Amino acid sequence: MIVEAAELRKSYGATEVLAGVDLRVPEGSVLALLGPNGAGKTTTVRILTTLTRPDAGHATIAGYDVLRQPARVRGVISLTGQSAAVDENQTGRENLVMVGRLMHLGRPAARRRTGELLEQFGLTDAMDRRVKTYSGGMRRRLDLAMSLIARPRVIFLDEPTTGLDPASRSMMWDTIGELVRDGTTIVLTTQYLEEADRLADRIVLLDHGRIVATGTADALKSQVGGERIELRFRSDPELLKATGVLDGAVDQDVLSIPSDGTAAHLHHVLDTLRDNGLQPERVSSHRPTLDDVFLALTA
């Protein structure tokens, strides 16, 4: 495991922010930290990136201890925060070259790496414009490009697409996917459940500083119920009769039937209704989403 943490605890005064958090992240994968505001996501990231000391517990990144070997840890990670850390008065190219020089790359190497990243992030056409003229999506892409100058093994992304329009968010998702395919490990916090659903190999759901659920997106969804067929009828008598024919539950005038999600089962339900002289006014299927998981486990 390239990222490991055990029993991380942190309090600020009487407020317990982390109450024993354990993490294990395989190399070349994406771990998403989800949870409501104040759940402990950002504090966890700050401990793993050596910015905050835990009160108890320990963590390693690529085998380096975050407390005893912080310089080693910083040499293999990068952190992209919630707001783009770019110099607005410099051009995109100047920002990248500056970071390369700060990372002790020689001038030719910094320029070469800058060219690679400008092309990778679709910023070549804007590379000589001052960053203050960039859109929000362009700034976020530049910010992420700057964090990749030294080719880190682990990237921490703290709400990387907050405030972006859907097109820019989708572009960032594509970029993150490419990084993972190249072997980079990503740990991200996000408020967008669809983001975790699309990107994460594994999800950790935090609430009040504790892990309340962990697993793949599909595994977490299965915890709050499987797929179901939802049937609406024209009248209450029809709904009542259908309830006696099918094994389901009624909620707000909708009959909900557990389903395995196959077309064969849907046909069976409709055939059963037809054989009993019933025809639903509306039929829909519903599969649990991460929103359902979030609401069920953090309410």
Side-chain angles (χ1 to χ4, degrees), residues 81-94:
Q82 295 181 20
S83 58
V86 295
D87 186 337
E88 293 190 342
N89 292 315
Q90 292 195 95
T91 67
R93 175 159 52 185
E94 288 169 344

Side-chain angles (χ1 to χ4, degrees), residues 3 34 42 50 66 88 97 104 106 111 114 116-117 142 144 158 166 188 194 201 203 206 214 219 221 249 255 271 289:
V3 178
L34 295 183
T42 296
T50 76
V66 298
E88 293 190 342
V97 170
H104 306 295
R111 288 177 174 172
T114 291
E116 294 170 354
L117 291 168
L142 177 62
L144 183 53
D158 196 6
L188 69 89
E194 59 176 330
D201 297 294
I203 295 169
L206 290 167
T214 183
K221 291 172 188 176
L255 177 59
D271 288 346
T289 65

Side-chain angles (χ1 to χ4, degrees), residues 19-38:
V21 169
D22 300 326
L23 297 174
R24 288 170 58 83
V25 187
E27 190 162 9
S29 68
V30 179
L31 176 75
L33 297 176
L34 295 183
N37 291 333

Side-chain angles (χ1 to χ4, degrees), residues 34-115:
L34 295 183
N37 291 333
K41 304 184 299 296
T42 296
T43 299
T44 300
V45 168
R46 288 183 61 83
I47 289 173
L48 295 175
T49 55
T50 76
L51 298 177
T52 297
R53 293 180 64 88
D55 297 332
H58 68 273
T60 60
I61 310 292
Y64 300 121
D65 189 282
V66 298
L67 291 178
R68 298 198 308 267
Q69 300 168 290
R72 293 278 193 175
V73 170
R74 293 170 195 149
V76 297
I77 68 170
S78 73
L79 169 63
T80 299
Q82 295 181 20
S83 58
V86 295
D87 186 337
E88 293 190 342
N89 292 315
Q90 292 195 95
T91 67
R93 175 159 52 185
E94 288 169 344
N95 267 276
L96 286 164
V97 170
M98 175 187 68
V99 172
R101 298 291 286 142
L102 290 173
M103 298 298 293
H104 306 295
L105 295 181
R107 190 175 298 276
R111 288 177 174 172
R112 183 168 56 252
R113 183 65 175 144
T114 291

Side-chain angles (χ1 to χ4, degrees), residues 181-202:
R181 285 191 290 274
D182 289 340
T184 306
T185 303
I186 307 286
V187 177
L188 69 89
T189 71
T190 179
Q191 295 287 348
Y192 300 111
L193 301 183
E194 59 176 330
E195 186 162 271
D197 206 349
R198 171 166 168 174
L199 295 175
D201 297 294
R202 195 164 185 84

Side-chain angles (χ1 to χ4, degrees), residues 6-10 16-22 56 206 209-211:
E7 280 295 305
L8 292 181
R9 296 179 179 273
K10 184 67 179 179
E16 188 177 47
V17 180
L18 294 181
V21 169
D22 300 326
L206 290 167
R210 301 177 187 276
I211 294 177

